[in-house]
Amino acid sequence: MADRGAGFDGPRTAQRSVPLALDPLDETASTHLIRLVLAQARRAGVGAEQLATVHGIDDAALSGELNRIPLRSLIRLWELLAAARPGPGGGVAVAAAAPLGTLTTWDYLVTTGSTLAGALRAAQPYHRLVTAAAEGFDLHHDGDLTVGFRTTAGDPAVAAMVNEYVLAYYLRRAREATGRAVIPTSVTFGHAAPRDHTALTDAFGTDRIDFDAPADTITFAAADATAPLPRADPMLADLLRSHADLVLATARPITGPLDAFRIAVAAAIADDDASLAAVARRLAVSPRTLQRQLSEQGTTWRHEFDLIRYEQAKTLLEEGRSTTATIAKRLGFTDDRALRKAFQRWAGSSPSQLRTSGPP
């Protein structure tokens, strides 16, 4: 997560990410970041009942790198965490729980360049791997390197925690990338000074921390920003960017409750445990609550379950690599005759006719 548009005075050498209009990824965050904040919320004592109200954070939705969770769900997790652990230090704790690799591709993009400044510049266009386009970060490199940030969270207490996490995250990655105990030349926060910010001076290793600043920033000395990185690997960096392009091109935004439900059903079918009760457990709700939620969306368990099995059966038949009996077993039918009857009901034709005709 990073700067929504607040800039800094002084020269700029790095380009700001420009979000594409109407891209469905623009208002989503990665499952890796969601899992990190969710784990800290649970550790801080946020209860299951509160978490159950946050859309898209069930195990099924968070199981794949390509799934994208609404930004509003991420902000809500930060709100719950800020309420459970108020004051300075909460955001630092989240960064402390995120060793290199926690945010997968993004973590390695920002640590495998020739220098810290070079790695961050090259990674900047891919920041949507982590979070929404509105939270893109800003870089300034005119000797010293400044990373600037401002969250879209509206609550000042929540924004303070998020800002704290992000700045602590970049300090941690700078230390991991350089292999030495980097100390920032300055840290600035937009919120008012807390009564005691010892937790921040300890975490950032400096008392050069200013509050009520125009923006939230962390600045690294030129010697740290331009020093050769021991992890530098140009070939790996190219592979990471190619992978990032693929992830962004094939990502699946989970924009509403039905998206999360359908992912849970598909996962339950794959695990041969696709009952209403099993899917409800995956979504951390009761079967009755799940049925009510589906009704509110104008659908039913039976209709959705049927639809998902039909789509999966069509895909398997069109691929032509499975027999009808194998498909029937995989989708939970008693035998291939039951699958043929269902297919007649679904499509008005037999599985063999679809296999013959192939995809349109």
Side-chain angles (χ1 to χ4, degrees):
M1 301 174 65
D3 182 48
R4 65 184 295 185
F8 311 98
D9 295 329
R12 300 185 179 188
T13 59
Q15 295 181 349
R16 180 191 295 272
S17 303
V18 179
L20 298 176
L22 303 179
D23 190 319
L25 295 185
D26 282 356
E27 293 299 321
T28 65
S30 76
T31 55
H32 308 298
L33 181 56
I34 294 285
R35 282 200 298 267
L36 172 63
V37 182
L38 173 61
Q40 294 308 300
R42 286 172 171 158
R43 188 168 299 171
V46 177
E49 290 185 2
Q50 289 176 294
L51 294 173
T53 66
V54 185
H55 167 60
I57 64 168
D58 55 274
D59 290 343
L62 297 180
S63 63
E65 180 182 24
L66 297 182
N67 294 337
R68 299 286 299 194
I69 312 303
L71 177 62
R72 62 183 179 273
S73 295
L74 175 61
I75 296 298
R76 180 56 182 153
L77 287 175
W78 281 116
E79 289 171 351
L80 293 171
L81 180 56
R85 184 174 176 170
V92 166
V94 178
L100 186 65
T102 300
L103 300 185
T104 62
T105 306
W106 177 256
D107 278 355
Y108 295 110
L109 279 172
V110 301
T111 55
T112 55
S114 58
T115 65
L116 179 62
L120 287 172
R121 279 199 306 268
Q124 190 173 19
Y126 297 99
H127 196 246
R128 286 193 305 160
L129 284 172
V130 187
T131 193
E135 309 241 314
F137 71 119
D138 203 3
L139 295 175
H140 303 273
H141 182 212
D142 56 350
D144 289 351
L145 172 67
T146 297
V147 181
F149 170 86
R150 193 174 304 280
T151 178
T152 57
D155 185 314
V158 177
M161 175 173 279
V162 178
N163 296 342
E164 182 185 304
Y165 154 71
V166 175
L167 301 190
Y169 166 88
Y170 283 109
L171 176 58
R172 177 166 190 169
R173 293 297 176 263
R175 290 171 173 171
E176 290 163 335
T178 61
R180 58 181 186 244
V182 172
I183 301 297
T185 60
S186 70
V187 178
T188 68
F189 289 107
H191 60 272
R195 181 176 302 175
D196 180 3
H197 60 273
T198 304
L200 300 183
T201 57
D202 290 345
F204 288 97
T206 181
D207 58 4
R208 296 178 180 176
I209 300 178
D210 293 325
F211 297 90
D212 287 318
D216 297 84
T217 68
I218 184 168
T219 299
F220 301 103
D224 293 320
T226 60
L229 297 185
R231 301 177 56 88
D233 189 333
M235 185 173 294
L236 175 58
D238 284 342
L239 288 173
L240 287 167
R241 286 191 290 271
S242 295
H243 178 69
D245 287 330
L246 180 62
V247 169
L248 291 174
T250 56
R252 299 183 294 261
I254 298 178
T255 57
L258 281 180
D259 293 323
F261 166 75
R262 287 165 180 160
I263 289 173
V265 172
I269 290 174
D271 290 344
D272 195 24
D273 188 22
S275 66
L276 172 63
V279 172
R281 281 197 302 274
R282 289 174 181 268
L283 295 171
V285 297
S286 69
R288 179 174 296 181
T289 296
L290 177 55
Q291 288 178 312
R292 176 179 55 76
Q293 292 173 343
L294 291 172
S295 177
E296 291 170 352
Q297 297 296 315
T299 188
T300 65
W301 158 260
R302 175 51 56 190
H303 173 77
E304 292 297 325
F305 183 57
D306 235 21
L307 179 63
I308 292 166
R309 289 207 293 180
Y310 174 47
E311 293 296 333
Q312 290 196 3
K314 280 199 307 179
T315 299
L316 292 168
L317 287 165
E318 289 167 354
E319 289 174 349
R321 295 197 296 266
S322 302
T323 65
T324 305
T326 300
I327 294 172
K329 182 177 180 181
R330 179 169 174 175
L331 299 182
F333 289 95
T334 53
D335 52 32
D336 57 343
R337 185 172 66 175
L339 173 62
R340 288 196 297 271
K341 289 178 64 176
F343 223 92
Q344 192 67 40
R345 173 168 52 84
W346 289 333
S349 62
S350 68
S352 58
Q353 287 175 306
L354 178 62
R355 192 193 296 276
T356 301
S357 61

